């Protein structure tokens, strides 16, 4: 398959490009498109056949459910049960990087829910995503547009690198703004449960709805099936270091002649082949996945990554770094 890449305006997307991409979605094809978080790999959420193509293109385990993207709040009512608290969260955070896990309506295919009784829904805050969803007239199921296990794509180039030849169209509106994926919140129980930290912070959620529970056993738990799998992993090992934490004892960094690539906010504690630094934790979130892809290409043997503090989007950056390092057991 030939993949066509179309440049599209991120504020006022060109109508002819959107209608072409929307036609692909309606015919059961795959379109990669920008959201404010990362690039998504979209297909008709109500067509089992179209959704199966997402799993094939990504090499994604079939029991890992997808987020359904809607173009307006009311569209969520047709996908599942929206109670008063969910409505409030939608009013406060939609469009935006908050995914709500609600009880699923019967017409949502099992391919989307991974066979669960719940469905994850979100309204993205990106004009191209909204135009595509509205233009196709159907909700769009879309995981991140990377090969399963790889760092999520925040540019069209990263999508092409992973999925070139596997999707019909990539819509290129430049780098995404938030950089980490949406926060996933399960709102089916008495208290909301944080299944994945992301673009909306835990502090913001707590201010809006009161106490939020961590996923049982921590945020790496099976409550959100996707979090079970190795994720965000570059092709070279990633070693983590907390601010001010000892690094020198890690055998992967001490081998003679080892070439280290560094990413973090404070200066590298070692002589690095390449060093990427961010001034703010928001900047770290925005640039994290691109940085991991750049560092793996640098010729280094290992990536040394600094964990930011837990506040705000720092919680999500820590989560992604831990997974990139293959560490699924430590909480937060
Ligand atoms: P991705 O779109 O690749 O960023 O992944 C979507 C995330 O949402 C994964 O971690 C999924 O496990 C999670 N998710 C999607 N649907 C559900 C659901 N019904 N219940 C719990 N987690 C879900
Ligand atoms: Mg993903």
């Amino acid at each position: 398959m030939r993949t066509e890449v179309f440049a599209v305006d991120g504020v006022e997307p060109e109508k002819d490009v959107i209608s072409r991409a929307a036609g692909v979605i309606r015919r059961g094809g795959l379109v990669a498109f920008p959201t404010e978080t990362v690039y998504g790999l979209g297909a008709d959420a109500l067509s089992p056949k179209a959704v199966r193509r997402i799993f094939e293109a990504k090499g994604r385990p079939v029991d890992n459910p997808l987020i359904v993207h809607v173009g307006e709040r009311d569209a969520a009512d047709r996908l599942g049960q929206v109670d008063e608290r969910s409505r409030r969260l939608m009013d406060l955070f939609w469009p935006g990087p908050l995914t709500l896990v609600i009880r699923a309506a019967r017409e949502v295919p099992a391919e989307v829910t991974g066979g669960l009784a719940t469905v994850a829904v979100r309204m993205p805050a990106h004009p191209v995503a909204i135009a595509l969803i509205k233009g196709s007239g159907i909700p769009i199921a879309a995981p991140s547009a990377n090969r399963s296990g790889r760092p999520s794509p925040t540019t069209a180039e990263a999508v092409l690198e992973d999925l070139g030849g596997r999707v019909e169209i990539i819509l290129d509106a430049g780098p995404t703004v938030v950089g980490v994926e949406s926060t996933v919140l399960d709102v089916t129980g008495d208290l909301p449960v944080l299944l994945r930290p992301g673009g909306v912070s835990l502090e913001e959620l707590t201010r809006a709805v009161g106490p939020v529970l961590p996923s049982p056993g921590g945020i790496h738990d099976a409550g959100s099936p996707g979090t079970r799998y190795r994720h965000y992993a570059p092709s070279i090992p990633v070693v983590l270091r907390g601010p001010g934490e000892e690094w020198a004892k890690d055998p992967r960094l001490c081998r003679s002649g080892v070439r280290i690539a560094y990413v973090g906010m404070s200066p590298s504690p070692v002589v690095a082949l390449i060093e990427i630094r961010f001034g703010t934790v928001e900047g770290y979130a925005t640039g994290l996945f691109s940085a991991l892809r750049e560092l793996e290409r640098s010729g280094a043997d290992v990536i040394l990554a600094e964990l930011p503090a837990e506040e705000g989007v720092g919680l999500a950056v820590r989560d992604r770094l831990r997974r990139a390092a293959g560490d699924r057991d430590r909480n937060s």
Side-chain angles (χ1 to χ4, degrees):
M1 178 194 306
R2 227 187 97 231
T3 296
E4 288 185 289
V5 182
F6 294 105
V8 59
D9 192 282
V11 181
E12 280 181 46
E14 292 78 358
K15 289 201 175 66
D16 55 326
V17 177
I18 294 297
S19 81
R20 198 155 160 178
V24 168
I25 295 283
R26 275 198 301 273
R27 288 191 296 276
L30 300 181
V31 175
F33 61 97
T35 76
E36 79 280 31
T37 58
V38 302
Y39 275 74
L41 174 59
D44 176 352
L46 300 178
S47 158
K49 204 167 150 207
V51 170
R52 278 198 290 272
R53 284 204 48 207
I54 293 180
F55 288 88
E56 284 159 24
K58 281 186 61 102
R60 181 175 173 111
V62 291
D63 64 343
N64 188 359
L66 305 177
I67 296 171
V68 180
H69 293 69
V70 294
E72 59 198 355
R73 259 162 269 189
D74 291 349
D77 292 302
R78 291 189 288 278
L79 296 169
Q81 278 172 33
V82 179
D83 62 10
E84 215 175 293
R85 184 181 55 195
S86 310
R87 178 93 41 213
R88 224 173 79 239
L89 285 162
M90 289 173 184
D91 287 342
L92 284 169
F93 297 104
W94 282 14
L98 177 66
T99 294
L100 296 174
V101 172
I102 60 176
R103 283 187 207 294
R106 213 163 299 143
E107 58 221 277
V108 182
E111 282 77 2
V112 169
T113 63
L116 299 171
T118 54
V119 61
V121 286
R122 151 170 133 85
M123 178 179 173
H126 196 297
V128 173
I130 296 297
L132 180 65
I133 299 164
K134 289 194 167 163
S136 50
I138 29 186
I140 295 184
S144 48
N146 51 281
R147 291 279 294 171
S148 201
R150 297 268 302 139
S152 297
T154 52
T155 63
E157 291 75 25
V159 177
L160 194 61
E161 188 177 295
D162 275 19
L163 297 179
R166 295 171 169 267
V167 304
E168 278 87 346
I169 288 181
I170 300 174
L171 297 176
D172 179 0
T176 60
V177 177
V178 177
V180 289
E181 299 86 344
S182 59
T183 301
V184 180
L185 193 69
D186 181 341
V187 287
T188 58
D190 285 344
L191 286 177
V193 180
L194 181 69
L195 297 180
R196 174 177 77 181
V200 169
S201 71
L202 182 56
E203 293 90 333
E204 287 174 279
L205 289 175
T206 310
R207 269 198 301 276
V209 290
V212 172
L213 298 174
S215 176
I219 54 179
H220 292 188
D221 182 69
S224 190
T227 61
R228 275 204 300 269
Y229 299 102
R230 183 154 166 78
H231 232 123
Y232 315 116
S235 51
I236 54 175
V238 178
V239 176
L240 305 178
R241 171 180 176 268
E245 212 174 271
E246 187 64 71
W247 57 270
K249 291 193 190 94
D250 193 296
R252 288 167 295 183
L253 299 175
C254 298
R255 284 185 293 113
S256 85
V258 68
R259 288 162 302 174
I260 299 170
Y262 175 81
V263 61
M265 294 178 65
S266 43
S268 174
V270 294
V271 178
L273 178 68
I274 168 173
E275 180 171 331
I276 298 180
R277 275 173 62 196
F278 300 102
T280 62
V281 73
E282 290 77 19
Y284 202 164
T286 305
L288 172 67
F289 290 130
S290 276
L292 291 178
R293 284 176 184 258
E294 188 180 337
L295 296 183
E296 75 176 355
R297 277 196 306 266
S298 69
D301 306 300
V302 57
I303 293 172
L304 174 60
E306 183 186 41
L307 294 167
E310 254 176 34
E311 288 96 81
V313 77
L315 190 65
V317 174
R318 290 168 71 96
D319 170 71
R320 305 308 187 268
L321 283 173
R322 288 219 153 117
R323 288 168 204 285
D327 176 357
R328 273 158 296 176
D329 301 323
R330 288 159 71 177
N331 291 343
S332 79

